[in-house]
Amino acid sequence: MKEIKIYSPATIANVSCGFDVLGVCLDNVGDEMIFRQSEQKGLRIVEITGADLPLEIEQNVAGVAGKALMEQLNPNFGIEMIIHKKIKAGSGIGSSAASAAGAVYGINALCGYPLTNKELIYYAMQGEALVSGAPHADNVAPALLGGFAFIRSYAPLDIISIPAPKELYATVIHPQIELKTIDSRSVLKQTVGLKQAITQCGNLGGLISALYTEDYDLLGRCLHDEFVEPKRSLLIPNFAALKQVAVKCGALGGGISGAGPSVFVLSRGKQIADCVASEMRNIVKEADYQCDIHVSPINPKGIKELI
Amino acid sequence: MKEIKIYSPATIANVSCGFDVLGVCLDNVGDEMIFRQSEQKGLRIVEITGADLPLEIEQNVAGVAGKALMEQLNPNFGIEMIIHKKIKAGSGIGSSAASAAGAVYGINALCGYPLTNKELIYYAMQGEALVSGAPHADNVAPALLGGFAFIRSYAPLDIISIPAPKELYATVIHPQIELKTIDSRSVLKQTVGLKQAITQCGNLGGLISALYTEDYDLLGRCLHDEFVEPKRSLLIPNFAALKQVAVKCGALGGGISGAGPSVFVLSRGKQIADCVASEMRNIVKEADYQCDIHVSPINPKGIKELI
């Protein structure tokens, strides 16, 4: 293979009670990336559209992730990468992760797939480290594996791929406000009550069970986050109202996507997910900020190869 | 049915990272209980063997649980209960829970099974409250449901029954030392680090996943408790050595059963579970306390009716 074009999807990290451990893959929001073999060795980003991002390898998440993998695989050809960003940066739906995961997927493909998608996660994480300071996997893992990805541990890296119940849809609203990661992080407490921690464990264990048994009601009962949402949601305009309309439409529940400002809602079936989107639109109509709203099934496979 | 004889099994609560949320049912350690219809209405305990326990309904966990159910079902006959205790009190393998769960099972059976075993949990918990101060479900639920029982929430009561992987065995050592529940509780901190809490969530989610996928290796990787074991294990003689021999035998891992002093180890297959038992015996041979050691498959159904 001399050239490949891929679709690298958006993802939701920090899925409610799965704070820092659970991510899920969206299906119809994502970047396109093209990879071409070149005679000149090494990795180059030759074009970026849709976002004002640096072409320099060391300053670009796709570059950093891709370079880490190239050093490992050491192919006897070079690779040129073109990135068409469709996921807005800072939206909280894994924009940088899509770039990093896409980069390692494309490079691995041009090299003849020596590594599995699970093995690629480590390299994609190196790109994520550039933007967030620490390598984290809860966006890159679902982008590469599809469905839900559960991060059991970072040392050693231990990631479990869990299929999503088939009728599950996500509605994501991205209010176009600036929410600095530093603000998002500063509301995190360094300790939690033992009782809260046990409540979180109860909901998380229930959620994992619900995914395996496709028990939508149980899934809905588990979508509560004790650790972060109570504080972080205060930084997101209309958060309570957005969750409230989700309940009104019959959705299962939701929370903050990643570190925000996007808010996600999970529903059984497209009809409810569409209802949530429409009601959310009504809420923000009066607000003095713009927003994007996406309705998406869960993407079962992650990154896709385009013709 | 005028009379029924049942076998009410021992259980392990606080299954490692499942502190306060996960219990599992043993197969070959348990009490026998007999229930007979009587003309005189109400519930009476007519005989207890194997333990010095009160016959008075209000002072006996089986009595309190049974009475709570009798008041709900209001049968037009009375019930006499005989308890043959085989599980030692204070052992940390659900001795009181076996009595409470057995009582409600037997009464429900004589009344023609109006309630499901899941519905009986609430009544069994009322008996548990007598000994522990607060009604808890992590022993009575696995005794009534078999396999693993996951307590998602107490308010409302939300319990998930999870089948155990088929080759799973437990080795339980009960050192016959007195470990007061008050000491066991006093080592609990009221707060935990956020990082620790996330580690616990990672292991718990992994453990739940491992149960559904019968992934024994993953199960083993998840058997770590951040919340309680580091402190509580200091009250249990030879704890580190007992865990060490388990690893040496190739076991998956283990922890403190309930609030102790029993220690449990989970293994894939009877051979490893037997090896653990034998090595544990060597460790305590030199010690100045007696101990019981049990090797048991996981009981998939919970309480059994005997002929």
Side-chain angles (χ1 to χ4, degrees):
Chain A
M1 190 188 294
K2 297 275 184 181
E3 179 172 332
I4 187 172
K5 186 177 179 184
I6 65 163
Y7 176 81
S8 192
T11 45
I12 297 167
N14 295 338
V15 179
S16 187
C17 53
F19 174 71
D20 247 19
V21 292
L22 190 65
V24 64
C25 191
L26 299 177
D27 200 42
N28 56 21
V29 191
D31 298 340
E32 284 181 18
M33 299 172 81
I34 298 161
F35 301 82
R36 284 192 197 116
Q37 282 193 18
S38 66
E39 282 185 18
Q40 190 191 335
K41 287 191 79 170
L43 179 67
R44 276 172 310 287
I45 305 171
V46 294
E47 188 188 353
I48 299 174
T49 68
D52 185 22
L53 293 169
L55 293 172
E56 289 79 10
I57 289 295
E58 306 289 357
Q59 293 169 42
N60 184 299
V61 292
V64 171
K67 189 181 169 213
L69 180 62
M70 291 284 275
E71 282 168 1
Q72 173 65 27
L73 299 181
N74 195 25
N76 59 5
F77 51 83
I79 292 180
E80 290 178 353
M81 176 158 63
I82 296 168
I83 307 171
H84 299 300
K85 287 301 293 178
K86 308 277 174 91
I87 310 167
K88 284 185 184 146
S91 57
I93 52 169
S95 179
S96 62
S99 295
V104 296
Y105 185 96
I107 292 165
N108 191 54
L110 287 195
C111 292
Y113 303 99
L115 298 185
T116 64
N117 282 13
K118 205 168 201 175
E119 288 167 337
L120 291 177
I121 293 169
Y122 169 80
Y123 301 95
M125 285 167 61
Q126 310 314 310
E128 282 285 69
L130 181 69
V131 277
S132 73
H136 67 102
D138 42 353
N139 289 108
V140 293
L144 281 160
L145 303 176
F148 284 84
F150 184 79
I151 322 298
R152 186 192 75 82
S153 145
Y154 280 99
L157 190 61
D158 192 358
I159 291 172
I160 301 156
S161 182
I162 307 175
K166 286 170 205 68
E167 298 169 49
L168 204 62
Y169 274 74
T171 308
V172 180
I173 178 167
H174 172 207
Q176 278 152 47
I177 55 163
E178 194 184 4
L179 181 63
K180 291 200 177 119
T181 305
I182 193 161
D183 290 337
S184 241
R185 283 189 182 267
S186 69
V187 298
L188 291 186
K189 285 182 172 180
Q190 287 315 301
T191 59
V192 294
L194 178 64
K195 216 177 142 186
Q196 272 182 298
I198 291 165
T199 301
Q200 187 94 338
C201 283
N203 284 319
L204 177 68
L207 176 55
I208 301 299
S209 174
L211 296 179
Y212 281 105
T213 57
E214 304 213 15
D215 184 335
Y216 294 89
D217 287 342
L218 173 59
L219 201 160
R221 295 200 297 279
C222 296
L223 289 173
H224 303 283
D225 171 31
E226 298 287 318
F227 290 173
V228 177
E229 189 178 302
K231 294 281 182 184
R232 199 176 263 176
S233 61
L234 303 175
L235 304 173
I236 297 173
N238 306 113
F239 182 80
L242 293 170
K243 275 193 86 168
Q244 223 161 15
V245 294
V247 173
K248 189 180 138 198
C249 290
L252 302 171
I256 302 164
S257 178
S262 285
V263 174
F264 76 92
V265 166
L266 297 179
S267 302
R268 181 176 192 167
K270 187 167 186 300
Q271 200 177 345
I272 296 173
D274 282 334
C275 167
V276 173
S278 148
E279 293 286 338
M280 281 179 163
R281 239 179 273 279
N282 287 339
I283 286 177
V284 295
K285 208 181 276 175
E286 309 291 313
D288 59 350
Y289 58 85
Q290 297 295 307
C291 70
D292 290 330
I293 298 182
H294 310 285
V295 173
S296 174
I298 305 308
N299 172 341
K301 298 276 181 194
I303 292 170
K304 291 174 197 171
E305 299 189 5
L306 305 173
I307 298 149
Chain B
M1 190 188 294
K2 298 274 185 183
E3 178 172 333
I4 186 171
K5 185 176 179 186
I6 65 163
Y7 176 81
S8 192
T11 45
I12 298 167
N14 295 340
V15 179
S16 188
C17 53
F19 173 72
D20 248 16
V21 292
L22 190 66
V24 64
C25 190
L26 299 176
D27 199 43
N28 56 21
V29 191
D31 297 340
E32 284 182 16
M33 299 172 81
I34 297 162
F35 301 83
R36 283 191 197 116
Q37 282 193 19
S38 68
E39 281 184 23
Q40 188 190 336
K41 285 191 80 171
L43 179 67
R44 278 172 308 286
I45 305 172
V46 294
E47 188 187 355
I48 299 175
T49 69
D52 184 22
L53 292 170
L55 292 172
E56 289 77 10
I57 290 294
E58 306 288 355
Q59 293 169 43
N60 185 300
V61 292
V64 171
K67 189 179 170 216
L69 181 62
M70 291 283 275
E71 281 169 2
Q72 174 64 27
L73 299 181
N74 195 24
N76 59 6
F77 50 84
I79 293 182
E80 291 178 353
M81 175 158 64
I82 296 168
I83 307 172
H84 299 301
K85 286 301 292 179
K86 308 278 172 90
I87 310 167
K88 284 186 183 146
S91 57
I93 53 169
S95 179
S96 62
S99 296
V104 296
Y105 185 96
I107 292 165
N108 191 53
L110 286 196
C111 292
Y113 304 99
L115 298 186
T116 64
N117 282 13
K118 205 168 201 176
E119 288 166 337
L120 291 176
I121 293 169
Y122 169 81
Y123 300 95
M125 284 167 63
Q126 310 314 310
E128 281 286 67
L130 181 69
V131 276
S132 72
H136 66 102
D138 42 352
N139 288 108
V140 292
L144 281 161
L145 303 176
F148 284 83
F150 184 78
I151 323 298
R152 186 191 75 80
S153 146
Y154 280 99
L157 190 61
D158 192 358
I159 292 172
I160 302 157
S161 182
I162 307 175
K166 286 171 204 67
E167 298 170 48
L168 204 61
Y169 274 75
T171 309
V172 180
I173 178 167
H174 172 207
Q176 278 153 45
I177 56 164
E178 193 184 3
L179 181 62
K180 290 200 176 119
T181 304
I182 193 163
D183 290 338
S184 243
R185 283 189 181 267
S186 69
V187 298
L188 291 186
K189 285 180 172 183
Q190 287 314 302
T191 59
V192 294
L194 178 64
K195 217 178 141 184
Q196 273 182 299
I198 291 166
T199 301
Q200 187 93 338
C201 284
N203 284 320
L204 177 67
L207 177 55
I208 301 299
S209 175
L211 296 179
Y212 282 104
T213 57
E214 303 212 16
D215 183 335
Y216 294 89
D217 287 343
L218 173 59
L219 202 160
R221 294 200 298 280
C222 297
L223 288 173
H224 303 284
D225 171 31
E226 298 287 318
F227 291 173
V228 177
E229 189 178 301
K231 294 281 182 183
R232 198 176 266 176
S233 61
L234 303 174
L235 304 173
I236 298 173
N238 305 113
F239 182 80
L242 293 170
K243 275 193 87 167
Q244 224 161 15
V245 294
V247 173
K248 189 180 138 199
C249 290
L252 302 171
I256 301 164
S257 180
S262 285
V263 174
F264 76 92
V265 166
L266 297 179
S267 302
R268 181 175 192 169
K270 186 166 187 300
Q271 201 177 345
I272 296 173
D274 282 335
C275 167
V276 173
S278 148
E279 292 285 337
M280 281 179 162
R281 239 179 273 280
N282 288 338
I283 285 178
V284 296
K285 207 181 275 172
E286 310 290 313
D288 58 349
Y289 59 85
Q290 297 294 305
C291 70
D292 290 329
I293 298 182
H294 310 284
V295 173
S296 174
I298 305 308
N299 173 341
K301 299 276 182 194
I303 291 170
K304 290 173 197 172
E305 299 187 6
L306 305 172
I307 299 148

